Amino acid sequence: MSLRPPSAGTLAAEAAFDALGHEILAEKAAALGRAGQRVEETLAKLRENGDDKEQRPRLLKEAAEAVHGYFIQRELCGLRKHDAVIREYDIPRAVLVRLGAK
């Protein structure tokens, strides 16, 4: 068996992989930001119009879908605990009990 030093092609491949990895991380962060923005928007609508008995079920469903998507995106980023986020966004229990329901 003979040993050979790494070729220049290997270094170029590693650099390309690092660039791709960086781009993937940037996209994960951007997607997490967009999901968080959607949570803020749907919760604001719910707080503004939550007393309207006709709109409340639709607003709860929209908020639950946004929160569920946000939690999934957080988990894809390696963030598994959501307690702090629930407190930060002040997510109502009525929304939390609907997570994942269609």
Side-chain angles (χ1 to χ4, degrees):
M1 177 164 96
S2 65
L3 297 174
R4 295 182 302 183
S7 66
T10 303
L11 295 176
E14 286 178 10
F17 181 74
D18 286 346
L20 179 61
H22 180 73
E23 190 171 331
I24 290 170
L25 289 176
E27 183 53 38
K28 280 184 176 182
L32 184 61
R34 289 189 300 270
Q37 183 65 35
R38 184 165 179 245
V39 168
E40 289 177 1
E41 291 168 0
T42 58
L43 289 176
K45 285 182 191 176
L46 178 63
R47 288 184 184 107
E48 291 170 7
N49 303 311
D51 295 335
D52 185 346
K53 296 201 185 276
E54 290 180 17
Q55 289 187 11
R56 185 168 173 79
R58 179 183 57 82
L59 294 172
L60 283 170
K61 182 178 180 181
E62 287 177 6
E65 287 177 358
V67 170
H68 188 236
Y70 182 62
F71 284 179
I72 290 172
Q73 190 62 41
R74 281 177 48 83
E75 289 175 6
L76 289 170
C77 293
L79 305 168
R80 306 257 185 260
K81 296 183 180 182
H82 307 298
D83 296 341
V85 172
I86 292 168
R87 283 190 305 274
E88 175 89 18
Y89 284 110
D90 192 23
I91 301 171
R93 185 171 222 54
V95 171
L96 294 173
V97 299
R98 289 171 172 77
L99 294 185
K102 288 275 179 173

